[in-house]
Amino acid sequence: MDNPFGLLAELTYRCPLACAYCSNPLNMADYADELATDEWRRVLVEARDLGVLQCHLSGGEPLVRNDLVEIVAEAHELGLYTNLVTSALGLTRAKAERLRAAGLDHVQVSIQADEPGLSDRIAGTPSFHRKIEAMRVVKELDWPLTVNVVLHRRNIDRVAEVLTLAEQVGADRVELANTQYYGWAWRNRDQLLPSRAQLDAAEAVVRAARKRLRDRMDVIYVLPDYYSRYPKPCMGGWAARQLTVTPNGEVLPCPAAQSLPLPKASVRVDPLERIWTDSPVMTAFRGTDWMPEPCRSCVRREVDFGGCRCQAFQLTGDAARTDPVCHLSPDHDLVASAVRAANADSRPDDRPLIPRPHRARAPTA
């Protein structure tokens, strides 16, 4: 594909939660100068003209934007399929009805666990019961509902109970996504990475649930990179199918790429088409010509595209290295040693997590 089909619109990094696995940047203050409503309208028009079909409205917590309804209405008018990715704090019935009238197509609600106390501890704020109520509102308004749960060492043992909860709220889809170690999750990796025994148990539960629920609910299970033999094809290839626009207008091939030492590109400076086609941040690792060995001569080079550039940089300091997740990578022991530590009998499990700082209270209207 020459053009992207998906836009992740990160409207704000403000959020009422304090999740220790959050992938938002550590330097969130750098993104405080958020795009105004008219700027987002222009971005959506340029994205449509570029070929984008899907618009995922995310953050942070997009509900803290007072203009969210206007942004949804603009995307709907342009013919984009809109998906709200939300903690659901602030998704009152009144706000939900306004979003429904504006044309919002889909709602994805995150929840941290099935049990109120554990969920609230992981979220860093009392939120479980408000999330459940919001999910009920979503279904009453006849929206498709996806329930998203980020899995890690503190909650992966409750996958069966999480699936039961998803059934109870009438979810059409549940995403069980093992933590990706960027942002705040990177700082907490040693306390979040699950053991092999935990993963094996969870996978058995998921297999059984997929069979039992195949006619009622889609069950998506995202394996953790660190336990894979080969890396996943990051975003289907660097700047190949999707793009991200951050709260201050920077354009990236994926949400984590802000950490890479690449020249910045911004919708406040250049049109989206020019950024997609020509900017260094988009062209740096597009295709396969940039690849080092062993990727360059690997038969999988157009399957996994060398893996994740952000993960390679996070682990090695060089974004052009083979993703250390790959067992063929010369840096693979960086991942293997983390896995060994996660499975050590003497591993302490009571060390505190470093929470993402709160940046906003949930709106009430």
Side-chain angles (χ1 to χ4, degrees):
M1 298 180 64
D2 294 327
N3 295 319
F5 67 77
L7 165 67
L8 177 62
E10 295 185 318
L11 302 181
T12 180
Y13 286 147
R14 291 174 286 156
C15 184
L17 303 187
C19 304
Y21 56 77
C22 182
S23 60
N24 282 172
L26 299 179
N27 56 329
M28 288 183 290
D30 291 351
Y31 299 86
D33 183 18
E34 297 175 1
L35 295 179
T37 310
D38 286 344
E39 289 177 302
W40 274 114
R41 285 196 178 104
R42 176 173 56 80
V43 168
L44 293 173
V45 170
E46 292 181 4
R48 188 276 312 272
D49 292 346
L50 189 57
V52 165
L53 302 174
Q54 301 173 356
C55 177
H56 304 277
L57 302 160
S58 181
E61 175 46 68
L63 284 166
V64 305
R65 290 277 305 213
N66 294 328
D67 58 356
L68 178 60
V69 173
E70 297 170 71
I71 292 171
V72 168
E74 179 70 19
H76 177 72
E77 182 68 22
L78 291 168
L80 303 178
Y81 183 91
T82 50
N83 174 34
L84 178 64
V85 183
T86 176
S87 70
L89 271 67
L91 189 62
T92 62
R93 177 172 288 278
K95 177 61 74 65
E97 288 175 349
R98 291 174 62 203
L99 289 167
R100 194 73 168 109
L104 183 68
D105 293 298
H106 183 276
V107 180
Q108 176 177 314
V109 177
S110 67
I111 197 163
Q112 284 64 39
D114 68 289
E115 192 275 321
L118 177 59
S119 183
D120 290 349
R121 285 195 299 275
I122 294 171
T125 191
S127 53
F128 178 85
H129 293 294
R130 284 183 284 174
K131 289 171 177 283
I132 297 301
E133 179 57 31
M135 291 182 202
R136 293 194 181 103
V137 170
V138 169
K139 294 307 298 180
E140 288 168 7
L141 293 180
D142 199 30
W143 263 313
L145 170 65
T146 293
V147 173
N148 175 268
V149 185
V150 177
L151 299 177
H152 46 78
R153 196 177 189 94
R154 304 287 176 97
N155 65 1
I156 195 170
D157 296 330
R158 299 192 64 83
V159 166
E161 290 83 359
V162 165
L163 287 164
T164 297
L165 175 65
E167 287 184 79
Q168 291 172 347
V169 298
D172 302 281
R173 190 170 186 263
V174 59
E175 292 184 358
L176 304 169
N178 276 277
T179 301
Q180 302 293 303
Y181 294 102
Y182 311 112
W184 297 92
W186 170 252
R187 298 188 69 178
N188 288 292
R189 186 189 68 175
D190 292 347
Q191 288 301 299
L192 293 175
L193 187 62
S195 68
R196 171 66 73 179
Q198 286 181 302
L199 287 173
D200 290 345
E203 289 181 36
V205 170
V206 170
R207 282 196 300 271
R210 280 176 170 161
K211 182 176 181 180
R212 178 173 60 85
L213 299 170
R214 61 181 177 271
D215 296 325
R216 287 182 285 156
M217 184 171 70
D218 290 334
V219 179
I220 310 302
Y221 183 68
V222 181
L223 292 169
D225 288 358
Y226 279 43
Y227 283 90
S228 299
R229 184 171 173 82
Y230 296 104
K232 290 192 286 289
C234 183
M235 307 298 289
W238 184 270
R241 301 178 181 178
Q242 302 184 60
L243 54 82
T244 295
V245 177
T246 69
N248 67 344
E250 291 180 11
V251 185
L252 303 168
C254 77
Q258 49 79 27
S259 64
L260 302 186
L262 293 171
K264 304 293 186 183
S266 173
V267 296
R268 285 172 163 161
V269 178
D270 290 306
L272 201 57
E273 182 178 13
R274 183 182 301 164
I275 293 171
W276 175 261
T277 303
D278 297 324
S279 67
V281 72
M282 291 295 174
T283 59
F285 303 110
R286 185 178 272 157
T288 59
D289 290 345
W290 62 271
M291 288 183 175
E293 294 293 351
C295 296
R296 181 176 293 275
S297 58
C298 182
V299 296
R300 292 178 56 88
R301 65 183 177 276
E302 294 187 3
V303 175
D304 56 39
F305 301 99
C308 177
R309 299 300 88 225
C310 302
Q311 189 156 255
F313 179 73
Q314 187 88 74
L315 290 166
T316 73
D318 182 356
R321 299 282 287 181
T322 299
D323 187 339
V325 161
C326 183
H327 75 286
L328 299 173
S329 166
D331 304 305
H332 180 65
D333 194 60
L334 294 171
V335 170
S337 62
V339 169
R340 287 194 296 270
N343 288 274
D345 293 337
S346 60
R347 183 190 183 284
D349 281 325
D350 56 354
R351 286 178 290 180
L353 295 167
I354 303 170
R356 175 201 192 276
H358 294 276
R359 289 291 180 184
R361 293 181 179 179
T364 57

